[in-house]
Amino acid sequence: MIHNVLSIAGSDPSGGAGIQADLKAFSARGVYGMAALTALTAQNTQGVTGVHLVPPHFVAQQIKSVFADVRVDAVKIGMIANAGIVEAVAEALAPHRGIPIVVDPVMIAKGGAALLDPQAIDALTQHLLPLATLLTPNLPEAAALLHEQVAENREQMGAQAERLRALGPNMVLVKGGHLESDESPDVLSIASGLHWFEAKRVPTKNTHGTGCTLSSALAAELAKGASPQMAVAAAKAYLAQAVAAAGELTVGSGHGPVHHFHALWKDADR
C-alpha cells in the first residue's frame, strides 16, 4: 500500500523549502504527498521579500476537504505564521489524533526573515504541541518555545528536548545543526529516555529547506509504520545524502536547495 501524507505549510516559489520541499521529500521517500497552504511567500535562495497569509478559515477548509475524501496516514505541519492559523489547524486536526503528526515549528527563514509572529508562539505551545506526535525544532526554535537561551552543548540540548516533551508532544527531536562543531548531532526525547543520532557536518552553503525536508521525511517514515528511532535514522540519513549532493544542482546564488532526488536521478536521462 502506498501511504498518503498531508503537509500543512507555506509555499516557496523557488522550490527549495515549504510545500515544494515537502512534496519532493514525500515522493523521494515513497509516499503520496498532499498539501494545504497556509501562506504564499515571495522568496528565493537569497531571502524572503514578502508573505501573503491564507485566511485561517480557508486553511481549515483545505484540511477538512482532504480528510473528508482521502485516507491520511500522517501529517507534517510547517509554517503556520500566526495565532489564528495555529488555532484553525489545531481545530481541523483535533478529530484525527490517531495518526502521526509531525510539527516543525518554522520561525525564521534561512535568510533571517521571521515566518512566525512572536505572539503566536504561545498559541502554538497551547494548541498544537499537545496534538504533536513528534516536534522537530532546531536550537533557536527550541529556545524560543521554552523562552530560554539557545543550547550550546549536548547536555543543554538533551535537557531542552525533555522540557519540550513535557509541554505535550509524544516525542521531541532537537536538531543540533547550529552547534559550533564539526558534528551535527540530533537528540530524540521519548518515554524511554534520550537517543542520539550522529552525523558529520557537510561543508556547503546549500542548506535551504533542510528543516522542511527532514520533518517531511520523518512524517513519511512514520506513515509507513517505522518506529521512532528507525524513522529518525532513515530521515537523517536521507537528508545528509541530499545535502551532500546539493552541489549537483545549480539553483540561485544564495543558500541553494538540497537535492531531494539525489538517489532517483542518477539513472535518469538528462
Side-chain angles (χ1 to χ4, degrees):
M1 181 179 68
I2 296 174
H3 295 84
N4 305 322
V5 184
L6 171 64
S7 172
I8 303 168
S11 169
D12 170 11
S14 71
I19 287 289
Q20 288 81 351
D22 297 344
L23 293 176
K24 291 173 185 177
F26 292 158
S27 295
R29 300 310 299 169
V31 300
Y32 179 81
M34 302 170 289
L37 284 170
T38 60
L40 306 178
T41 70
Q43 68 173 293
N44 54 32
T45 65
Q46 299 183 62
V48 178
T49 59
V51 176
H52 180 72
L53 300 182
V54 177
H57 75 273
F58 193 72
V59 174
Q61 187 176 351
Q62 293 176 76
I63 297 168
K64 292 175 181 178
S65 69
V66 171
F67 274 97
D69 180 53
V70 182
R71 185 196 72 251
V72 179
D73 299 305
V75 174
K76 173 265 171 83
I77 302 173
M79 178 184 176
I80 44 177
N82 63 28
I85 296 176
V86 169
E87 292 172 8
V89 169
E91 183 270 334
L93 292 179
H96 308 289
R97 290 175 179 265
I99 65 173
I101 298 176
V102 177
V103 176
D104 181 26
V106 178
M107 297 181 179
I108 300 174
K110 193 68 66 181
L115 298 178
L116 178 68
D117 183 339
Q119 296 179 346
I121 293 177
D122 289 340
L124 188 154
T125 302
Q126 179 181 351
H127 297 289
L128 276 185
L129 295 199
L131 294 177
T133 304
L134 175 61
L135 177 70
T136 64
N138 59 30
L139 296 186
E141 291 162 350
L145 289 169
L146 290 167
H147 303 288
E148 297 179 1
Q149 296 296 312
V150 176
E152 297 180 348
N153 54 52
R154 290 175 181 249
E155 181 180 3
Q156 293 173 356
M157 279 180 63
Q160 289 193 344
E162 293 188 310
R163 286 196 289 276
L164 284 169
R165 195 167 68 85
L167 296 178
N170 289 342
M171 303 177 286
V172 176
L173 180 71
V174 174
K175 301 172 294 187
H178 286 78
L179 285 180
E180 295 292 334
S181 168
D182 292 335
E183 305 295 321
S184 183
D186 298 340
V187 61
L188 177 68
S189 172
I190 59 178
S192 62
L194 296 178
H195 301 264
W196 288 90
F197 298 83
E198 309 296 336
K200 290 286 186 182
R201 188 178 303 278
V202 178
T204 179
K205 69 173 184 177
N206 298 322
T207 55
H208 185 52
T210 50
C212 304
T213 299
L214 180 66
S215 56
S216 295
L218 284 165
E221 297 306 316
L222 292 174
K224 293 185 286 186
S227 69
Q229 292 96 324
M230 291 180 62
V232 173
K236 189 171 175 66
Y238 164 70
L239 178 61
Q241 293 162 2
V243 172
E248 298 176 14
L249 302 174
T250 53
V251 181
S253 56
H255 293 286
V258 305
H259 192 345
H260 295 90
F261 299 123
H262 59 273
L264 301 176
W265 288 2
K266 293 184 182 300
D267 299 324
D269 293 329
R270 295 197 301 275

